[in-house]
Amino acid sequence: MIGLFGGTFDPVHLGHLRMALEVREALGLREVRFIPCYSPPHRDPADATPEDRLAMLKAAVADESGFVVDTREYDRDGPSYTVDTLSSLRQELPGESLCLMMGMDAFVSLPGWSRWDRILDFAHIVVFHRNGIALPELGPLVGFFAEHHVTDPAALKARPAGHIWVQDVTPLNISATAIRADLSQGGSVRYLVPDNVLAYIQSNGLYGASMRQAASLTKKV
């Protein structure tokens, strides 16, 4: 089985990496593919350029066996719709179990995604809990979840797509939005992002980070 973890990664942080690691170990995934979104269709444009976000993501996963970066959303024109990404992966990996990983916050917003009801044609969905966010009690997700939810993770290996699994992970309340805000105000985000990602942010002045902060980091390392 292969895990698929998409997002803007603006910037990638330790919460992303830890959740991916725990899901990989819990489900026995042979790899996790991080798929950075080039042009997010459902949210404001990213603060960092696509090139900077990709560089940070590659740095973050470089030393972790089984973590890889998939750039297919950078290689096509137009908005980065998840269903198109999954369709292309399914064409390449026709018999592979694919597990689309997302937080509960993303899952509850699925009805606003393009062709969201076709996602399970191409992959399973693995949802991890986010603090304070629960499944809705009304709306199209209620029946969708009830029909496809499984309580035995072995079901994910039995077929290449079509199930929803909810995975418990260590609750790390780390937010890319808060990280950007802290950096813009001169605050420290050490231990929230990998050190090599922080060094890249500071050396390139991303999110308002200053060279003074970069010098401070160099003295501490």
Side-chain angles (χ1 to χ4, degrees), residues 31 35 37 70 84 150 162 176 185 197 201 203:
E31 72 178 24
I35 307 176
C37 177
D70 186 315
D84 294 331
V150 294
Q185 296 165 16
V197 171
I201 289 170
S203 65

Side-chain angles (χ1 to χ4, degrees), residues 183 186 198-219:
L183 286 166
L198 180 54
Y200 184 95
I201 289 170
Q202 294 173 323
S203 65
N204 289 277
L206 302 184
Y207 313 116
S210 67
M211 295 307 293
R212 178 180 57 79
Q213 291 170 302
S216 176
L217 175 67
T218 302
K219 291 178 182 178

Side-chain angles (χ1 to χ4, degrees), residues 116-183:
W116 70 277
D117 54 347
R118 293 208 57 206
I119 286 176
L120 290 179
D121 293 343
F122 305 112
H124 304 298
I125 296 176
V126 174
V127 185
F128 32 81
H129 289 294
R130 297 296 293 269
N131 289 343
I133 302 174
L135 285 168
E137 298 181 357
L138 298 172
L141 272 183
V142 176
F144 181 74
F145 182 82
E147 180 181 356
H148 299 288
H149 177 231
V150 294
T151 57
D152 183 353
L156 304 179
K157 295 182 179 180
R159 54 184 295 189
H163 294 313
I164 300 172
W165 168 255
V166 179
Q167 177 65 47
D168 289 326
V169 295
T170 301
L172 298 176
N173 189 25
I174 302 175
S175 160
T177 301
I179 287 171
R180 295 193 301 271
D182 284 346
L183 286 166

